[in-house]
């Protein structure tokens, strides 16, 4: 059973960068799509980016060109490189397969972007 643990969040100024990591407790090799989600205060959780087992990636329009998702199956880890951060990117970021597994929602990692 895969249980992700997210890390790498923090406080950054607008225009800055952060790299999030998602270390899974089990193997992610057989998971077709791994994804990053985020939830801002007062808003619904949304899909940010996804990556297939073959490396195909997809992004929400709001982060396209700024965020890059990658995965290292050997390390059971998924990454999210976030550049040119904006205050609107402030949220708790979560890692989960796509479609998400209910039992795999972790604590997430807080990203706060100041203007």
């Amino acid at each position: 059973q895969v249980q992700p643990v997210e890390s790498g969040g923090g406080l950054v100024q607008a225009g800055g960068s952060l790299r999030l990591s998602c270390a899974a407790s089990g193997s992610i090799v057989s998971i077709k799509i791994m994804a990053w989600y985020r939830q801002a205060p007062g808003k619904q959780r949304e899909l940010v980016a996804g990556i297939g087992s073959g490396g195909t990636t997809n992004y929400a329009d709001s982060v396209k060109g700024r965020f890059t998702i990658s995965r290292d199956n050997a390390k059971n880890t998924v990454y999210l490189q976030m550049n040119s951060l904006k205050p609107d990117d402030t949220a708790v970021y979560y890692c989960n397969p796509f479609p998400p597994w209910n039992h795999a929602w972790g604590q997430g990692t807080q990203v706060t972007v100041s203007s």
Side-chain angles (χ1 to χ4, degrees), residues 2 5 12 17-18 27 29 37 40 45 48 52 55 57 64 73 76 79 95 98-100 103 111-112:
V2 171
V5 177
V12 64
S17 298
L18 284 173
S27 174
V29 171
Y37 303 79
R45 191 173 291 166
V48 175
T57 57
K64 204 171 289 185
N73 288 338
N76 296 318
Y79 304 96
C95 173
F98 177 83
H103 73 268
V111 172
T112 303

Side-chain angles (χ1 to χ4, degrees), residues 1 4 7 10 15 21 35 43 56 59 64 66 81 87 90 94 97 102 113:
Q1 202 174 44
S7 63
S21 296
K43 296 187 178 180
T56 301
Y59 299 92
K64 204 171 289 185
R66 301 187 297 120
Q81 177 66 43
T90 295
Y94 302 89
N102 284 335
V113 185

Side-chain angles (χ1 to χ4, degrees), residues 16-99:
S17 298
L18 284 173
R19 188 192 194 207
L20 306 185
S21 296
C22 166
S25 59
S27 174
I28 66 170
V29 171
S30 62
I31 299 176
K32 289 185 177 180
I33 302 174
M34 288 296 298
W36 282 95
Y37 303 79
R38 68 185 181 186
Q39 186 167 19
K43 296 187 178 180
Q44 288 190 332
R45 191 173 291 166
E46 63 175 348
L47 176 65
V48 175
I51 183 167
S53 55
T56 301
T57 57
N58 280 287
Y59 299 92
D61 287 343
S62 58
V63 307
K64 204 171 289 185
R66 301 187 297 120
F67 290 11
T68 302
I69 187 172
S70 59
R71 65 191 286 174
D72 186 336
N73 288 338
K75 295 182 178 180
N76 296 318
T77 302
V78 183
Y79 304 96
L80 186 68
Q81 177 66 43
M82 305 187 297
N83 299 328
S84 301
L85 283 162
K86 304 175 181 180
D88 283 349
D89 295 318
T90 295
V92 179
Y93 285 71
Y94 302 89
C95 173
N96 207 322
F98 177 83

